Amino acid sequence: MDSNTHSGSRADRLGALAAAVDGLVAEDLDGLADAALAERVMALRGLMDRLEGHWLGELADLDARGAAGAEQGAQGGSTAAWLRNRLRMGPGTAAGLVRTARALHRGPLTATAQALAEGTISPAHAQVLAAGTHDLPDHLAADAEPVLLEAARRLDPPRLRRVIAHLRLVADPDTAQDRIQRQHQQRGLWLAATWEGMVAVNGLLDPEAGQTLLAALEPLARPTNANDPRWWPTPR
């Protein structure tokens, strides 16, 4: 089979996926029972997670080829810069996605990539694992992966982040303590009056205090019904 046939079949699959999404968007859910709707929401979330896992694999291939910008006949300075420009991502988000793609598909976290493809963990869990192990030697990250992956299957991302921090503290207490001390010194609360007399609030909390605050605020800020316009942050 020649390359044109391969390209055609790939385009057909993407076209079929786009058509399926269009069909889902066009469906009328008014007559759907509550239980069926809940099951549908869970199923869609799982499919989205698996699709993002596949996307990370293709992103890793593109990054390894240095092909960022090729769709426009240009050379994108870096894969992260290309994502920022094309998808209007923040720098941290773009860099985190590239780091995760590399760790899962070009680095030591191959079992994490498989778990994401199977839908047993979410992209958020994969990003926490990649971020938490990115500065470890590959052999140490690979040795720790089975334990961390098992934790990822049971815990939400903030709790998983704390498990990684604990393991790092045990494995390398001097480095971990230095990082904890640095974060402690960076804490602060900054207030500034606006020209309308309101007060803008900005600040930094250490990871544990920040997650505690988010957990306390979430039930208070949760919308009471579908017409409540409030939004609350979900810890990641």
Side-chain angles (χ1 to χ4, degrees):
M1 184 179 292
D2 61 31
S3 60
N4 289 333
T5 303
H6 278 297
S7 298
S9 63
R10 294 189 187 103
D12 289 345
R13 285 192 287 271
L14 282 176
L17 178 60
V21 172
D22 288 342
L24 287 170
V25 171
E27 286 186 29
D28 183 0
L29 304 181
D30 287 346
L32 200 61
D34 290 352
L37 179 59
E39 289 179 1
R40 180 187 176 97
V41 167
M42 288 293 102
L44 283 172
R45 182 70 259 176
L47 290 172
M48 290 167 62
D49 287 350
R50 293 182 64 192
L51 184 59
E52 184 164 352
H54 175 76
W55 180 81
L56 286 170
E58 296 207 5
L59 178 65
D61 286 343
L62 178 140
D63 179 63
R65 295 184 191 185
E71 81 288 359
Q72 295 181 321
Q75 184 73 32
S78 70
T79 304
W82 174 68
L83 290 176
R84 291 201 310 270
N85 294 332
R86 289 302 312 275
L87 301 179
R88 298 174 299 283
M89 287 182 176
T93 299
L97 287 169
V98 174
R99 178 178 58 209
T100 302
R102 289 172 178 172
L104 269 60
H105 297 280
R106 300 285 173 180
L109 302 184
T110 55
T112 301
Q114 183 64 29
L116 183 55
E118 294 170 351
T120 58
I121 65 170
S122 73
H125 289 93
Q127 289 190 41
V128 169
L129 289 174
T133 60
H134 80 281
D135 58 345
L136 294 177
D138 281 357
H139 71 280
L140 290 181
D143 288 345
E145 185 184 27
V147 175
L148 297 177
L149 198 51
E150 180 60 29
R153 293 189 176 101
R154 297 183 291 104
L155 303 174
D156 60 29
R159 291 189 179 94
L160 176 61
R161 193 176 290 111
R162 290 197 287 272
V163 168
I164 295 175
H166 176 72
L167 287 180
R168 290 179 66 100
L169 180 61
V170 172
D172 190 356
D174 293 336
T175 301
Q177 287 291 358
D178 289 343
R179 184 170 54 254
I180 291 171
Q181 181 63 29
R182 186 169 61 252
Q183 290 176 337
H184 184 81
Q185 293 173 346
Q186 291 173 336
R187 295 178 309 158
L189 179 66
W190 299 275
L191 306 175
T194 71
W195 67 275
E196 292 181 314
M198 300 184 72
V199 176
V201 181
N202 192 13
L204 281 174
L205 298 175
D206 60 53
E208 184 175 354
Q211 294 302 328
T212 299
L213 178 61
L214 288 173
L217 290 177
E218 182 176 345
L220 301 176
R222 183 177 293 118
T224 56
N225 56 54
N227 297 319
D228 191 331
R230 289 180 298 173
W231 174 88
W232 71 97
T234 300
R236 284 301 212 178

